[in-house]
């Protein structure tokens, strides 16, 4: 997939995520999520700062982790919307498709081509849209074209022991459906079960 195509799909995924996040209220922030280590509030903080980090990378920033550290927000939904606007604007600028992106959470030794970096972002926001929706007890089923675009990226994500470390982006892959060509396959490859349902519990600290 070339960089223009992946940018188009990424924009659709981000716009879908904004619509889903718009349903979040302050009462929802302690809900459980499919990301076992995060409440919904923590997931939103992660999603927000990832937008800002990728926007900084698109602007040519080097491997500086300061752009990637989440922080508390008095209005997480408004903060998320603003961050989504920032990354969409950053990705849409002329010349970004030829840029190398520093993604220090993945590597501080080398940058990534724009198409690869935006592909990472696209994958994250398709899956995190599902995470937020399931936390709220809502459904999220991406359109078939989006699934077809994101599935090859999901298949390239390395599996193995690294997914067991604290702070890993994804849980170990699940075998069920991993060889199919639907959204359940994307979820399985990234360690999520399509059968997960919100538990509406506060996380025990």
């Amino acid at each position: 997939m070339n960089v223009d195509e992946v940018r188009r799909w990424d924009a659709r995924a981000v716009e879908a995520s904004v619509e889903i996040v718009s349903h979040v209220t302050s009462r929802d922030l302690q809900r459980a999520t499919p990301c076992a280590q995060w409440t919904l509030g923590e997931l939103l903080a992660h999603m927000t700062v990832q937008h800002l980090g990728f926007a900084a990378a698109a602007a040519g920033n080097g491997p500086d982790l300061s752009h990637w550290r989440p922080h508390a927000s008095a209005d997480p939904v408004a903060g998320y919307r603003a961050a989504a606007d920032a990354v969409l604007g950053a990705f849409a600028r002329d010349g970004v498709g030829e840029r190398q992106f520093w993604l220090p959470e993945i590597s501080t030794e080398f940058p990534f081509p724009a198409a690869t970096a935006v592909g990472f972002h696209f994958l994250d926001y398709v899956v995190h849209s599902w995470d937020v929706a399931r936390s709220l007890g809502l459904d999220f089923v991406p359109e078939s074209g989006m699934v077809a675009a994101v599935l090859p990226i999901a298949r390239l994500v390395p599996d193995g022991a690294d997914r067991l470390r604290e702070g890993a982006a994804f849980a170990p892959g699940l075998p069920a459906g991993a060889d199919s060509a639907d959204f359940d396959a994307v979820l399985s490859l990234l360690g999520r079960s399509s059968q997960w349902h919100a538990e509406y519990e506060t996380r025990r600290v």
Side-chain angles (χ1 to χ4, degrees), residues 44-55:
L44 282 182
H46 165 78
M47 292 168 66
T48 298
V49 78
Q50 289 289 304
H51 282 327
L52 298 176
F54 272 90

Side-chain angles (χ1 to χ4, degrees), residues 123-149:
L123 175 64
D124 271 359
Y125 286 87
V126 174
V127 175
H128 284 327
S129 292
W130 181 85
D131 291 333
V132 175
R134 295 311 306 141
S135 182
L136 295 171
L138 303 174
D139 290 325
F140 173 69
V141 182
E143 59 188 285
S144 59
M146 184 176 290
V147 173

Side-chain angles (χ1 to χ4, degrees), residues 28-48:
D28 296 319
L29 297 177
Q30 292 301 314
R31 289 180 184 262
T33 73
C35 304
Q37 73 272 35
W38 286 333
T39 62
L40 182 53
E42 290 165 335
L43 174 59
L44 282 182
H46 165 78
M47 292 168 66
T48 298

